[in-house]
Amino acid sequence: SIYAFFSYLDDIVDSTPNINAKIIIKELDRLAWWEQEIEKIYCDKIDNYILKTFQNVVKRFDIPKQYFLTLIDGVRTDLIKYRYNTFDELKDYCYSVASIVGLISIEIFGYKYEETKNYAVNLGYALQLTNILRDIYTDAQRGYIYIPKEDLIKFNYTEEDILNANYNENFIELMMFETARAREFYYKARSYLRTDEKPTIIPAEIMDAIYYRLLEKIELNNYNIYSKKIKVSNIHKIMLSLKKWVSMKMFVQRFLNRNNKI
């Protein structure tokens, strides 16, 4: 139910051309409708039968209302904002559309430690930044440039260069800077995750492994995201997922054996 909600909001942005004002206004109205429905859910005044299952999930896992409102606001930002001047601006956006998803997810997975929230927030930054780096050119074709203007200026690379798919030394240096920044958020996220929390958070750990590999593949392609769409194959995703799952099973077994000995 929660995933369907995420997908619905994501489709609003992906299917909306930013040059069509009428469609944008329509999509903004849809988001406003969702805000009203979220309020009804938490006031127990829902009158939409289809949303009853969604409401049951929200109540069962006691997910904070503000998480959903922040996510909706982040999607609204994507409908009206196409450029970011600073990384702080971009980071706020990443929090609204990615970190919040992590915070909602751990409410369902379950967690024991407060710092696990910091794990979710920083992993959200890492995953969203990796997505942005992979999709620089395709996003630009849709009218979006997420790379902060301050970074473009710093490395003497322009929006026109992106639109023209100019692959040069300036772009490589820019991408080296951006991938290093994304990697820092992966490391920071992992530092907040306690070992005994990992079995519960294994879906997020799998996402970490797949997206970190995507970041590595961008680097291995010498940052040339213009020549082809860089991706992790389905087989590789399965292998990474199984590796995480097996290692976690082994950890749990060792933990249980140790406790039995004690």
Side-chain angles (χ1 to χ4, degrees), residues 90-108:
L90 180 62
K91 190 178 177 184
D92 287 343
Y93 163 74
C94 291
Y95 177 84
S96 297
V97 298
S99 296
I100 281 292
V101 171
L103 290 170
I104 293 172
S105 297
I106 64 171
E107 294 295 333
I108 298 171

Side-chain angles (χ1 to χ4, degrees), residues 17-252:
N18 66 2
I19 57 173
N20 193 321
K22 289 184 178 179
I23 294 180
I24 290 174
I25 291 173
K26 180 181 177 181
E27 302 299 10
L28 289 172
D29 288 342
R30 290 167 70 186
L31 292 178
W33 180 87
W34 267 109
E35 285 178 322
Q36 294 172 2
E37 294 303 305
I38 293 295
E39 293 291 348
K40 289 181 182 178
I41 285 173
Y42 283 87
C43 293
D44 211 17
K45 295 180 179 179
I46 193 75
D47 54 7
N48 188 320
Y49 177 77
I50 296 175
L51 293 180
K52 278 292 183 181
T53 302
F54 182 79
Q55 182 186 39
N56 291 338
V57 173
V58 168
K59 294 177 71 173
R60 176 185 172 187
F61 295 102
D62 196 23
I63 303 172
K65 177 177 69 174
Q66 189 56 47
Y67 287 175
F68 293 110
L69 295 179
T70 299
L71 178 59
I72 292 171
D73 195 52
V75 175
R76 181 183 291 109
T77 298
D78 239 345
L79 290 174
I80 60 178
K81 187 177 178 70
Y82 315 124
R83 300 291 187 274
Y84 293 84
N85 292 314
T86 67
F87 179 67
D88 284 340
E89 286 184 15
L90 180 62
K91 190 178 177 184
D92 287 343
Y93 163 74
C94 291
Y95 177 84
S96 297
V97 298
S99 296
I100 281 292
V101 171
L103 290 170
I104 293 172
S105 297
I106 64 171
E107 294 295 333
I108 298 171
F109 299 154
Y111 61 95
K112 295 182 287 185
Y113 308 109
E114 194 66 19
E115 57 259 46
T116 303
K117 291 182 180 180
N118 292 326
Y119 162 80
V121 168
N122 283 281
L123 184 59
Y125 291 144
L127 301 183
Q128 189 66 22
L129 289 173
T130 302
N131 259 338
I132 287 171
L133 295 178
R134 178 195 61 188
D135 297 336
I136 286 176
Y137 186 55
T138 53
D139 283 339
Q141 290 177 312
R142 293 173 52 239
Y144 293 89
I145 294 180
Y146 292 98
I147 301 298
K149 288 184 179 180
E150 64 181 6
D151 295 350
L152 294 174
I153 293 170
K154 180 177 180 179
F155 292 97
N156 194 26
Y157 197 76
T158 66
E159 293 182 4
E160 289 73 22
D161 286 326
I162 293 176
L163 292 169
N164 293 325
N166 288 336
Y167 176 70
N168 55 32
E169 287 300 319
N170 290 354
F171 180 71
I172 291 173
E173 290 180 8
L174 170 65
M175 289 292 285
M176 289 175 65
F177 176 79
E178 302 295 350
T179 53
R181 173 183 274 160
R183 183 176 284 104
E184 286 179 8
F185 284 109
Y186 283 104
Y187 294 157
K188 193 171 182 179
R190 294 165 188 170
S191 73
Y192 283 115
L193 188 61
R194 295 197 192 183
T195 304
D196 59 333
E197 192 86 288
K198 289 185 177 183
T200 307
I201 310 295
I202 191 167
E205 287 283 85
I206 289 173
M207 292 290 288
D208 178 317
I210 292 173
Y211 275 77
Y212 191 78
R213 180 54 184 163
L214 177 59
L215 192 68
E216 288 181 325
K217 293 195 76 169
I218 291 173
E219 293 174 314
L220 289 170
N221 201 51
N222 204 25
Y223 310 102
N224 190 355
I225 49 87
Y226 296 126
S227 61
K228 63 179 180 179
K229 183 168 178 123
I230 299 174
K231 60 183 180 179
V232 179
S233 69
N234 288 335
I235 292 177
H236 201 166
K237 288 177 183 177
I238 293 171
M239 291 174 62
L240 289 169
S241 300
L242 286 174
K243 182 179 178 180
K244 278 288 181 182
W245 185 79
V246 170
S247 64
M248 207 52 60
K249 284 289 185 180
M250 293 174 64
F251 164 78
V252 171

